[in-house]
Amino acid sequence: MRPRHASGNVPRAREFEAYVAGAGGRLLHTATLLTAEARDDNPRARRLLTLALAHTYASWDRLRGEDPYDHTRQYLATRFARGAWHRHGGLLRSRPHPGSPLARLTPRERLVLVLRLHEGVAEEQTAALLGLPAERVRTVFHRAMATVLRPPPAPAAPAPGGVGRVPS
């Protein structure tokens, strides 16, 4: 690379660094919610965010007036959905952290719930982003909310008199 081109990338790099400094924490939290990993142990979320930020950086000059946060979030969501689909043979299942409140949701349910509640994306925009009808997004959202709001099943209590005792 010629020195002339290298110095031209300095403002671009500084703009991107400022963007990451401002939006990186929220985007990491979004990625962590999507992967349903623990907040302090989230390697999949970090990989997902790194890919999304790399894509945003590669597109930085072409964004011209677009919101880079929306661009990064869109890539984050579509990459998560595509990865969950391909990794699990179309079943959209993953291995979330068992202590996560979103662990009982499928990746699609987590994606819709995170986009709608955490990110505040409108139903129609979520549907367009995911390539689903708005009615399907509404159904997935309501099913996810019902699952999250319903308490998890309690472990079965041992029978009175101890485990393994045969009554006389």
Side-chain angles (χ1 to χ4, degrees):
M1 181 182 311
R2 291 188 241 168
R4 181 171 55 115
H5 293 292
S7 64
N9 286 334
V10 171
R12 175 182 187 230
R14 285 192 182 137
E15 285 176 4
F16 185 74
E17 286 173 9
Y19 162 68
V20 172
R26 182 170 174 93
L27 287 165
L28 178 59
H29 185 66
T30 300
T32 303
L33 289 172
L34 289 174
T35 59
E37 293 175 302
R39 188 175 259 232
D40 57 346
D41 184 23
N42 54 2
R44 289 183 345 168
R46 289 179 182 278
R47 272 193 309 273
L48 186 62
L49 178 58
T50 300
L51 289 169
L53 288 173
H55 182 267
T56 300
Y57 184 73
S59 305
W60 194 255
D61 292 333
R62 292 186 307 268
L63 290 177
R64 292 192 190 106
E66 284 184 54
D67 183 2
Y69 187 87
D70 286 342
H71 182 82
T72 307
R73 180 182 56 211
Q74 179 178 356
Y75 188 82
L76 189 73
T78 54
R79 181 71 187 212
F80 172 76
R82 191 175 342 131
W85 180 263
H86 289 296
R87 192 171 35 254
H88 301 289
L91 296 177
L92 281 176
R93 292 198 180 123
S94 67
R95 287 169 244 150
H97 185 269
S100 170
L102 304 179
R104 296 183 299 146
L105 300 177
T106 67
R108 178 176 285 161
E109 290 170 339
R110 279 198 309 269
L111 181 55
V112 168
L113 199 67
V114 168
L115 287 174
R116 297 280 292 118
L117 289 181
H118 179 67
E119 289 293 318
V121 179
E123 186 176 281
E124 295 78 19
Q125 289 175 309
T126 302
L129 176 65
L130 301 178
L132 297 171
E135 182 59 39
R136 179 71 179 137
V137 168
R138 189 175 310 117
T139 301
V140 170
F141 176 76
H142 289 300
R143 185 176 57 229
M145 285 299 296
T147 301
V148 168
L149 295 175
R150 184 179 328 116
V163 176
R165 273 185 76 185
V166 178
S168 328

